[in-house]
Amino acid sequence: MSISKIKTVVEEMVTPFLSENGFELVDIEYVKEGSNFFLRVSVDKEGGIDIDECGRISEFLSEQLDKNDPVTDAYFLEVSSPGAERPLKKAEDVRKAVGKYVYITTYEPINASKEFEGDLISFDGEELVVKVGKKEHAIPYSKVAGARLAIVF
């Protein structure tokens, strides 16, 4: 089964459980590191998620994976919080991050830069505005290569 298909199947398995219990799916990764495969599921909720909740989700998902067996290789299942520098994978994630400090990378230079770290001023679904220092940068959402929350030091 392809990596994208595995991710889709896992998402379909876990999303109803997460929604019923007040959690949000942030990301799913299926990667090979060295000789081992890892299925990583990142979840969150308002106010953050703790280790006991990650354990509960892991148990549920492990049972579902054992029943449905979409992954043929041996792998390690990891369920975790996205952390303080949470990735902003979907447009809805970016929308929720308005007013927060973010780190954005782009596919091509915008205003002579491909990296922007500052306050996310606005996002209308098409364009986001990041204030870096005193300058605001309008970035087309289609040009965003990566986005995450950032920590101010």
Side-chain angles (χ1 to χ4, degrees), residues 18 21-26 41-58 79-83 86:
L18 295 177
N21 291 282
F23 300 111
E24 171 191 2
L25 179 64
V26 175
V41 180
S42 180
V43 294
D44 206 0
K45 71 173 188 180
E46 192 67 39
I49 190 166
D50 65 35
I51 195 160
D52 292 332
E53 292 167 322
C54 287
R56 201 168 107 224
I57 296 164
S58 181
V79 176
S80 65
S81 160
R86 173 192 170 134

mmCIF file of all heavy atoms in Angstrom, residues 18 21-26 41-58 79-83 86:
data_model
loop_
_atom_site.group_PDB
_atom_site.id
_atom_site.type_symbol
_atom_site.label_atom_id
_atom_site.label_comp_id
_atom_site.label_asym_id
_atom_site.label_seq_id
_atom_site.Cartn_x
_atom_site.Cartn_y
_atom_site.Cartn_z
ATOM 1 N N LEU A 18 -11.272 10.824 17.425
ATOM 2 C CA LEU A 18 -10.721 12.102 17.875
ATOM 3 C C LEU A 18 -11.823 13.148 18.023
ATOM 4 O O LEU A 18 -11.885 13.848 19.036
ATOM 5 C CB LEU A 18 -9.646 12.606 16.902
ATOM 6 C CG LEU A 18 -8.375 11.758 16.796
ATOM 7 C CD1 LEU A 18 -7.446 12.337 15.735
ATOM 8 C CD2 LEU A 18 -7.671 11.642 18.132
ATOM 9 N N ASN A 21 -14.036 12.787 21.027
ATOM 10 C CA ASN A 21 -13.368 13.023 22.297
ATOM 11 C C ASN A 21 -12.711 14.399 22.408
ATOM 12 O O ASN A 21 -11.907 14.636 23.312
ATOM 13 C CB ASN A 21 -12.337 11.916 22.539
ATOM 14 C CG ASN A 21 -13.010 10.587 22.808
ATOM 15 O OD1 ASN A 21 -13.498 10.352 23.907
ATOM 16 N ND2 ASN A 21 -13.080 9.726 21.804
ATOM 17 N N GLY A 22 -13.037 15.302 21.479
ATOM 18 C CA GLY A 22 -12.563 16.677 21.568
ATOM 19 C C GLY A 22 -11.132 16.905 21.110
ATOM 20 O O GLY A 22 -10.522 17.915 21.462
ATOM 21 N N PHE A 23 -10.595 15.961 20.320
ATOM 22 C CA PHE A 23 -9.235 16.108 19.814
ATOM 23 C C PHE A 23 -9.259 16.496 18.347
ATOM 24 O O PHE A 23 -10.252 16.323 17.655
ATOM 25 C CB PHE A 23 -8.453 14.791 19.954
ATOM 26 C CG PHE A 23 -8.335 14.296 21.367
ATOM 27 C CD1 PHE A 23 -9.009 13.155 21.766
ATOM 28 C CD2 PHE A 23 -7.551 14.958 22.295
ATOM 29 C CE1 PHE A 23 -8.912 12.679 23.064
ATOM 30 C CE2 PHE A 23 -7.438 14.499 23.590
ATOM 31 C CZ PHE A 23 -8.125 13.356 23.984
ATOM 32 N N GLU A 24 -8.114 16.977 17.871
ATOM 33 C CA GLU A 24 -7.967 17.371 16.474
ATOM 34 C C GLU A 24 -6.758 16.667 15.884
ATOM 35 O O GLU A 24 -5.684 16.648 16.489
ATOM 36 C CB GLU A 24 -7.770 18.882 16.426
ATOM 37 C CG GLU A 24 -7.404 19.416 15.077
ATOM 38 C CD GLU A 24 -6.967 20.877 15.145
ATOM 39 O OE1 GLU A 24 -6.913 21.474 16.221
ATOM 40 O OE2 GLU A 24 -6.648 21.398 14.063
ATOM 41 N N LEU A 25 -6.916 16.090 14.713
ATOM 42 C CA LEU A 25 -5.794 15.488 13.999
ATOM 43 C C LEU A 25 -4.973 16.600 13.373
ATOM 44 O O LEU A 25 -5.489 17.426 12.626
ATOM 45 C CB LEU A 25 -6.308 14.538 12.915
ATOM 46 C CG LEU A 25 -5.247 13.859 12.060
ATOM 47 C CD1 LEU A 25 -4.374 12.942 12.914
ATOM 48 C CD2 LEU A 25 -5.900 13.067 10.941
ATOM 49 N N VAL A 26 -3.672 16.624 13.681
ATOM 50 C CA VAL A 26 -2.779 17.647 13.142
ATOM 51 C C VAL A 26 -2.023 17.103 11.933
ATOM 52 O O VAL A 26 -1.942 17.750 10.896
ATOM 53 C CB VAL A 26 -1.788 18.145 14.217
ATOM 54 C CG1 VAL A 26 -0.790 19.124 13.627
ATOM 55 C CG2 VAL A 26 -2.537 18.778 15.373
ATOM 56 N N VAL A 41 1.403 9.910 14.485
ATOM 57 C CA VAL A 41 0.130 10.610 14.466
ATOM 58 C C VAL A 41 0.226 11.745 15.480
ATOM 59 O O VAL A 41 0.499 11.519 16.658
ATOM 60 C CB VAL A 41 -1.029 9.655 14.822
ATOM 61 C CG1 VAL A 41 -2.357 10.394 14.810
ATOM 62 C CG2 VAL A 41 -1.063 8.468 13.861
ATOM 63 N N SER A 42 0.031 12.957 14.997
ATOM 64 C CA SER A 42 0.126 14.141 15.840
ATOM 65 C C SER A 42 -1.285 14.664 16.092
ATOM 66 O O SER A 42 -2.049 14.892 15.156
ATOM 67 C CB SER A 42 0.976 15.184 15.123
ATOM 68 O OG SER A 42 1.094 16.344 15.885
ATOM 69 N N VAL A 43 -1.637 14.822 17.381
ATOM 70 C CA VAL A 43 -2.980 15.262 17.765
ATOM 71 C C VAL A 43 -2.890 16.406 18.761
ATOM 72 O O VAL A 43 -1.890 16.566 19.448
ATOM 73 C CB VAL A 43 -3.810 14.103 18.357
ATOM 74 C CG1 VAL A 43 -4.104 13.049 17.317
ATOM 75 C CG2 VAL A 43 -3.114 13.480 19.546
ATOM 76 N N ASP A 44 -3.963 17.169 18.837
ATOM 77 C CA ASP A 44 -3.987 18.303 19.755
ATOM 78 C C ASP A 44 -5.417 18.541 20.191
ATOM 79 O O ASP A 44 -6.362 17.914 19.685
ATOM 80 C CB ASP A 44 -3.433 19.550 19.055
ATOM 81 C CG ASP A 44 -2.833 20.561 20.018
ATOM 82 O OD1 ASP A 44 -2.832 20.308 21.245
ATOM 83 O OD2 ASP A 44 -2.360 21.607 19.554
ATOM 84 N N LYS A 45 -5.588 19.439 21.127
ATOM 85 C CA LYS A 45 -6.905 19.918 21.541
ATOM 86 C C LYS A 45 -6.714 21.288 22.154
ATOM 87 O O LYS A 45 -5.585 21.703 22.458
ATOM 88 C CB LYS A 45 -7.570 18.958 22.527
ATOM 89 C CG LYS A 45 -6.942 18.945 23.898
ATOM 90 C CD LYS A 45 -7.748 18.117 24.869
ATOM 91 C CE LYS A 45 -7.157 18.320 26.262
ATOM 92 N NZ LYS A 45 -7.827 17.588 27.266
ATOM 93 N N GLU A 46 -7.797 21.997 22.323
ATOM 94 C CA GLU A 46 -7.744 23.312 22.938
ATOM 95 C C GLU A 46 -7.100 23.184 24.319
ATOM 96 O O GLU A 46 -7.488 22.340 25.109
ATOM 97 C CB GLU A 46 -9.162 23.883 23.068
ATOM 98 C CG GLU A 46 -9.212 25.341 23.415
ATOM 99 C CD GLU A 46 -8.685 26.243 22.318
ATOM 100 O OE1 GLU A 46 -8.945 25.973 21.135
ATOM 101 O OE2 GLU A 46 -7.997 27.227 22.657
ATOM 102 N N GLY A 47 -6.078 23.965 24.572
ATOM 103 C CA GLY A 47 -5.393 23.906 25.859
ATOM 104 C C GLY A 47 -4.263 22.889 25.912
ATOM 105 O O GLY A 47 -3.578 22.767 26.911
ATOM 106 N N GLY A 48 -4.073 22.132 24.824
ATOM 107 C CA GLY A 48 -2.979 21.160 24.763
ATOM 108 C C GLY A 48 -3.410 19.766 25.155
ATOM 109 O O GLY A 48 -4.478 19.546 25.714
ATOM 110 N N ILE A 49 -2.570 18.814 24.851
ATOM 111 C CA ILE A 49 -2.855 17.400 25.085
ATOM 112 C C ILE A 49 -1.783 16.836 26.005
ATOM 113 O O ILE A 49 -0.631 17.250 25.941
ATOM 114 C CB ILE A 49 -2.916 16.642 23.738
ATOM 115 C CG1 ILE A 49 -3.437 15.227 23.918
ATOM 116 C CG2 ILE A 49 -1.618 16.682 23.006
ATOM 117 C CD1 ILE A 49 -3.840 14.574 22.608
ATOM 118 N N ASP A 50 -2.175 15.903 26.873
ATOM 119 C CA ASP A 50 -1.185 15.339 27.793
ATOM 120 C C ASP A 50 -0.843 13.896 27.412
ATOM 121 O O ASP A 50 -1.456 13.301 26.519
ATOM 122 C CB ASP A 50 -1.637 15.451 29.254
ATOM 123 C CG ASP A 50 -2.878 14.635 29.584
ATOM 124 O OD1 ASP A 50 -3.058 13.529 29.030
ATOM 125 O OD2 ASP A 50 -3.670 15.101 30.419
ATOM 126 N N ILE A 51 0.116 13.334 28.108
ATOM 127 C CA ILE A 51 0.632 12.013 27.766
ATOM 128 C C ILE A 51 -0.415 10.910 27.958
ATOM 129 O O ILE A 51 -0.453 9.946 27.193
ATOM 130 C CB ILE A 51 1.934 11.706 28.539
ATOM 131 C CG1 ILE A 51 2.649 10.520 27.909
ATOM 132 C CG2 ILE A 51 1.668 11.479 30.010
ATOM 133 C CD1 ILE A 51 4.111 10.433 28.254
ATOM 134 N N ASP A 52 -1.282 11.047 28.956
ATOM 135 C CA ASP A 52 -2.333 10.043 29.168
ATOM 136 C C ASP A 52 -3.305 10.027 27.998
ATOM 137 O O ASP A 52 -3.756 8.967 27.554
ATOM 138 C CB ASP A 52 -3.079 10.298 30.476
ATOM 139 C CG ASP A 52 -2.212 10.049 31.705
ATOM 140 O OD1 ASP A 52 -1.284 9.214 31.613
ATOM 141 O OD2 ASP A 52 -2.448 10.694 32.740
ATOM 142 N N GLU A 53 -3.633 11.210 27.483
ATOM 143 C CA GLU A 53 -4.532 11.294 26.333
ATOM 144 C C GLU A 53 -3.867 10.702 25.093
ATOM 145 O O GLU A 53 -4.521 9.990 24.318
ATOM 146 C CB GLU A 53 -4.946 12.745 26.095
ATOM 147 C CG GLU A 53 -5.825 13.282 27.216
ATOM 148 C CD GLU A 53 -5.993 14.783 27.191
ATOM 149 O OE1 GLU A 53 -5.019 15.506 26.875
ATOM 150 O OE2 GLU A 53 -7.117 15.233 27.508
ATOM 151 N N CYS A 54 -2.587 10.956 24.910
ATOM 152 C CA CYS A 54 -1.852 10.355 23.791
ATOM 153 C C CYS A 54 -1.886 8.834 23.915
ATOM 154 O O CYS A 54 -2.071 8.116 22.923
ATOM 155 C CB CYS A 54 -0.407 10.849 23.752
ATOM 156 S SG CYS A 54 -0.228 12.557 23.205
ATOM 157 N N GLY A 55 -1.726 8.329 25.140
ATOM 158 C CA GLY A 55 -1.772 6.886 25.371
ATOM 159 C C GLY A 55 -3.129 6.294 25.030
ATOM 160 O O GLY A 55 -3.209 5.221 24.418
ATOM 161 N N ARG A 56 -4.198 6.995 25.409
ATOM 162 C CA ARG A 56 -5.556 6.533 25.100
ATOM 163 C C ARG A 56 -5.786 6.468 23.585
ATOM 164 O O ARG A 56 -6.334 5.499 23.065
ATOM 165 C CB ARG A 56 -6.558 7.484 25.764
ATOM 166 C CG ARG A 56 -7.907 6.872 25.963
ATOM 167 C CD ARG A 56 -8.756 7.750 26.880
ATOM 168 N NE ARG A 56 -9.746 8.387 26.048
ATOM 169 C CZ ARG A 56 -10.091 9.652 26.103
ATOM 170 N NH1 ARG A 56 -9.529 10.468 26.948
ATOM 171 N NH2 ARG A 56 -11.013 10.139 25.309
ATOM 172 N N ILE A 57 -5.343 7.489 22.887
ATOM 173 C CA ILE A 57 -5.496 7.526 21.425
ATOM 174 C C ILE A 57 -4.647 6.425 20.794
ATOM 175 O O ILE A 57 -5.095 5.736 19.877
ATOM 176 C CB ILE A 57 -5.109 8.915 20.877
ATOM 177 C CG1 ILE A 57 -6.079 9.965 21.412
ATOM 178 C CG2 ILE A 57 -5.074 8.909 19.353
ATOM 179 C CD1 ILE A 57 -5.597 11.393 21.275
ATOM 180 N N SER A 58 -3.437 6.232 21.299
ATOM 181 C CA SER A 58 -2.543 5.187 20.786
ATOM 182 C C SER A 58 -3.163 3.805 20.946
ATOM 183 O O SER A 58 -3.113 2.986 20.023
ATOM 184 C CB SER A 58 -1.194 5.260 21.511
ATOM 185 O OG SER A 58 -0.325 4.274 21.021
ATOM 186 N N VAL A 79 2.086 8.329 18.923
ATOM 187 C CA VAL A 79 1.035 9.345 19.006
ATOM 188 C C VAL A 79 1.566 10.436 19.923
ATOM 189 O O VAL A 79 1.995 10.161 21.042
ATOM 190 C CB VAL A 79 -0.283 8.767 19.558
ATOM 191 C CG1 VAL A 79 -1.321 9.864 19.733
ATOM 192 C CG2 VAL A 79 -0.817 7.665 18.631
ATOM 193 N N SER A 80 1.550 11.675 19.428
ATOM 194 C CA SER A 80 2.130 12.754 20.221
ATOM 195 C C SER A 80 1.440 14.084 19.950
ATOM 196 O O SER A 80 0.666 14.230 19.009
ATOM 197 C CB SER A 80 3.621 12.886 19.909
ATOM 198 O OG SER A 80 3.788 13.296 18.560
ATOM 199 N N SER A 81 1.793 15.046 20.778
ATOM 200 C CA SER A 81 1.377 16.428 20.605
ATOM 201 C C SER A 81 2.238 17.045 19.505
ATOM 202 O O SER A 81 3.389 16.647 19.331
ATOM 203 C CB SER A 81 1.615 17.176 21.920
ATOM 204 O OG SER A 81 1.671 18.560 21.702
ATOM 205 N N PRO A 82 1.725 18.026 18.783
ATOM 206 C CA PRO A 82 2.553 18.691 17.778
ATOM 207 C C PRO A 82 3.608 19.600 18.397
ATOM 208 O O PRO A 82 4.515 20.044 17.717
ATOM 209 C CB PRO A 82 1.549 19.493 16.959
ATOM 210 C CG PRO A 82 0.418 19.729 17.891
ATOM 211 C CD PRO A 82 0.361 18.521 18.788
ATOM 212 N N GLY A 83 3.486 19.878 19.688
ATOM 213 C CA GLY A 83 4.476 20.713 20.366
ATOM 214 C C GLY A 83 4.199 22.198 20.211
ATOM 215 O O GLY A 83 3.243 22.615 19.563
ATOM 216 N N ARG A 86 3.875 23.982 16.510
ATOM 217 C CA ARG A 86 2.910 23.185 15.774
ATOM 218 C C ARG A 86 2.919 23.535 14.286
ATOM 219 O O ARG A 86 2.868 24.706 13.910
ATOM 220 C CB ARG A 86 1.533 23.451 16.367
ATOM 221 C CG ARG A 86 0.413 22.818 15.586
ATOM 222 C CD ARG A 86 -0.940 23.339 16.031
ATOM 223 N NE ARG A 86 -1.945 22.870 15.094
ATOM 224 C CZ ARG A 86 -3.092 22.353 15.450
ATOM 225 N NH1 ARG A 86 -3.424 22.269 16.707
ATOM 226 N NH2 ARG A 86 -3.937 21.930 14.537
#
